[in-house]
Amino acid sequence: METYYSPSKEDRNLAKLSCGPLENELKSCNSNSLDIQINGSHNKLKIPFQALSFLAQILKITSRGLSFSLVTTPSEIGVFEACNILGCSEAFLNELLAEGKIPFTKVGKHIRIKFDDLISYHHEMKKIQKQSLIDLINSKGN
């Protein structure tokens, strides 16, 4: 599922007013959820901290007048999807899996990779690449 959103001027103004207070509440939060009460309602909603952090990011984007899309992803993906995300060949991904660098499960003959595990590996590799470039630049300067 993919949802596109392009904020109106009124939405931008409301987002500007809401973003700062929400970020402040999140900074002072000592829980993994917050209770929210909507004006005119007697019900309190218990919202996960991560969802509210995401909402704060959405408000920041909206306040700048930027359009964005929200895309859902399955919790597990197959080899083809994983290769597309990493930008690698199936053979290279199979090496990573065989070396235990990315956890996976097998369902019959099919390999399933948790999306979060794949993204964690991807971020870790980007961090290592960045540090390698910094080290290379620093070594050239000496």
Side-chain angles (χ1 to χ4, degrees), residues 2-5 54 67-71:
E2 190 166 1
T3 305
Y4 294 96
Y5 174 68
F54 193 61
S67 298
F68 64 91
S69 64
L70 179 64
V71 180

Side-chain angles (χ1 to χ4, degrees), residues 108-123:
K109 294 181 180 181
H110 301 282
I111 292 174
R112 303 302 295 165
I113 302 166
K114 288 186 180 177
F115 184 78
D116 290 343
D117 290 339
L118 185 71
I119 295 302
S120 293
Y121 173 81
H122 185 63
H123 288 307

